[in-house]
Amino acid sequence: MLIRIAKSNLVFQYLLVFVVSLLLAGKAFASKGFLDGNTWLAWFLHLAWALAIGWIAAKHRLTRNPGLLALIFLCLDVAHAGMDYSSRIWVYPLFIISFHYGLSIYGKEKPYPAIFNSAFFWSASTVFCPELLFSLPCFFIILLSYSATSWRELGSALLGIGVPYWLAGTYDFLWQDDLLVRIWDKALIFGIPGFSPDILLPGLLGLFCSVISFLAMLSLKKNLQDLDMAERHRASALTALFLYFCVFTVATRIHPDTIFPLFIPSAFFCTKFLINLKRESAKDMILLAIIVLSLLACYF
């Protein structure tokens, strides 16, 4: 019933996003006070980035249910990153803008500006979040999924990736700093991931959504005839992003609050699965499970 109502009502979808966002922030408001400015700022930014991802997905015709996609992204994001304010949350818009330009590549006669912009913002996000440095090869896998393999397209990608680091090197030279060295030191995170009780519930939520995402990818493969060519290529790009970050997360000591790029394709595939699932009661149970696991991760 919940999914049936949401599926045909965008206002209800976004109302759900707003209500759940306040519930996720409940513990932070209770412990720090309802007038704490940093908590309100963190709540607003998490909500804003989730809505931005939903809007971008709708703009590129990835989904007709952007509110549900935003809701699932928000649940995954806050469960892993928490509602405490962190400067790292300002890295989100860099990757989100890169995501937007990346989805704009397909179907253009000359996609070089979109490729450059997407690569530039992705690379810029790794300057401010060095743990994501080793995600950069995924950009070229995404280009392969778009069949963007000419020397001009690959050159645009390399140029876009290199410019933020050229700017960082220029900063080091002019101000006699060691920014590039600090970035490289923080980027060396390969090894067995650590474990603590704090990541148990977020980990369960991430695993739950990952299983649903794999099931959704299988169902998409069966229904490719229902997708136009642009949707197929964009779904392939999101599949590459999802699989790469799954492997990347398991193979590194990356902190849970830095894997937010994984939550974008996860939210997309979970939304597809919920909409395409035949049993209405199962749909509601899965959505409620995601929301409840997220709330438990925030409160306990």
Side-chain angles (χ1 to χ4, degrees), residues 9-32:
N9 193 331
L10 276 177
V11 175
F12 182 71
Q13 290 180 28
Y14 286 114
L15 182 62
L16 270 179
V17 179
F18 182 75
V19 171
V20 171
S21 71
L22 289 176
L23 292 174
L24 291 170
K27 183 179 180 180
F29 283 126
S31 60
K32 297 184 179 180

Side-chain angles (χ1 to χ4, degrees), residues 72-73 76-77 80-81 92 206 256 259-268:
I72 297 172
F73 174 86
L76 284 164
D77 174 36
H80 287 79
Y92 284 39
I259 59 173
F260 61 89
L262 172 63
F263 304 148
I264 298 174
S266 295
F268 165 75

